[in-house]
Amino acid sequence: RPLCAAAVLRQSAIVGDSNPRASIQLRADFFSSLVQRARLAGWWLLLAREAKEKLGDRELARSYYAKALATDEGSVPIAREYILLLRETHQIDALSERLADLAQRQLVAGDIDDALRLWDEEARLAEQAGRIDDALRTLEGMSDVCEDGDLNDEAARIFVRRARLLADSKFDLNAALQLLEKSWHLSAEIETVWQAIEIARRRGDRR
């Protein structure tokens, strides 16, 4: 078994042309034996790219991206590449988890716009999967962030989205109307009035 990175890389290069998978596996076995090192995340990232591009093995690439991110949890570029692969492979649960994690880190870093974009994707995935409670929970967090940041127009739009979900999926018309009222106070859009009228009509029909 090779005892140093240089030897591993030499042996990997020798077998690489004839057997790319063996070349990748050789390096992966060696990297797995290492303790935390500054360059280890980058090595896992290179293996992930090779597994995806040379082997077309997205599942193997996914495992290497996960190792890279576990080695360097604060790496936004690695997280974005991993998210891109999860989108391509339709790994919805893992994608949702990664989106939420990166959104929180971007919020802490002060990039509210990016955090909101990531949460928006997470909420839409949850809604498409029928996980309405999860979607509502994410949207509620988004509206809280917007209100705290004085992003009134964006907060108003999110209140409207929450109202639609509550009315159409949870059939909670009273809560939907309350959210539309909050939206109106933040941003007086005529469309919000029409939606409130429609929901009030539906509530009246149910009595």
Side-chain angles (χ1 to χ4, degrees):
R1 179 174 182 170
L3 298 178
C4 69
V8 170
L9 295 177
R10 282 196 300 270
Q11 188 172 346
S12 175
I14 291 171
V15 302
D17 290 339
S18 60
N19 194 336
R21 186 176 292 274
S23 172
I24 290 174
Q25 188 61 53
L26 179 65
R27 283 171 285 161
D29 289 342
F30 178 69
F31 297 159
S32 295
S33 71
L34 298 176
V35 295
Q36 185 85 1
R37 292 180 59 172
R39 297 175 58 188
L40 191 53
W43 289 344
W44 282 120
L45 180 60
L46 289 175
L47 286 188
R49 291 169 178 170
E50 286 188 42
K52 177 183 175 182
E53 296 165 8
K54 291 185 177 180
L55 303 181
D57 191 335
R58 283 173 164 74
E59 186 58 34
L60 184 61
R62 189 165 78 90
S63 71
Y64 292 157
Y65 274 119
K67 289 178 183 295
L69 200 57
T71 306
D72 185 0
E73 295 181 353
S75 174
V76 172
I78 293 176
R80 290 196 190 283
E81 277 198 42
Y82 190 20
I83 284 171
L84 180 60
L85 180 70
L86 293 173
R87 286 195 194 107
E88 293 174 354
T89 54
H90 307 290
Q91 302 285 334
I92 302 303
D93 289 343
L95 175 57
S96 297
E97 182 181 348
R98 288 293 101 210
L99 289 168
D101 179 73
L102 183 55
Q104 185 61 43
R105 285 196 277 127
Q106 292 297 84
L107 178 65
V108 172
D111 193 341
I112 295 177
D113 289 342
D114 192 42
L116 290 173
R117 282 192 293 268
L118 292 161
W119 275 320
D120 178 77
E121 183 176 356
E122 181 196 357
R124 292 184 189 281
L125 287 172
E127 185 178 354
Q128 291 166 8
R131 302 197 310 268
I132 304 303
D133 288 337
D134 289 342
L136 285 168
R137 190 158 40 246
T138 299
L139 290 171
E140 182 177 5
M142 291 172 66
S143 59
D144 289 344
V145 167
C146 289
E147 284 191 290
D148 290 343
D150 292 325
L151 302 174
N152 291 341
D153 289 345
E154 185 62 27
R157 283 191 289 269
I158 295 169
F159 282 136
V160 170
R161 285 179 62 186
R162 289 171 60 192
R164 288 173 182 163
L165 275 180
L166 284 169
D168 297 339
S169 298
K170 306 293 285 186
F171 307 108
D172 191 341
L173 303 183
N174 289 329
L177 282 173
Q178 291 173 6
L179 287 173
L180 290 175
E181 182 178 357
K182 292 185 70 173
S183 176
W184 172 260
H185 287 309
L186 290 174
S187 180
E189 299 289 338
I190 189 64
E191 180 61 26
T192 304
V193 175
W194 289 118
Q195 289 192 53
I197 291 172
E198 172 60 21
I199 291 176
R201 183 191 62 77
R202 288 168 57 185
R203 186 175 64 175
D205 290 344
R206 289 173 54 180
R207 290 176 176 173

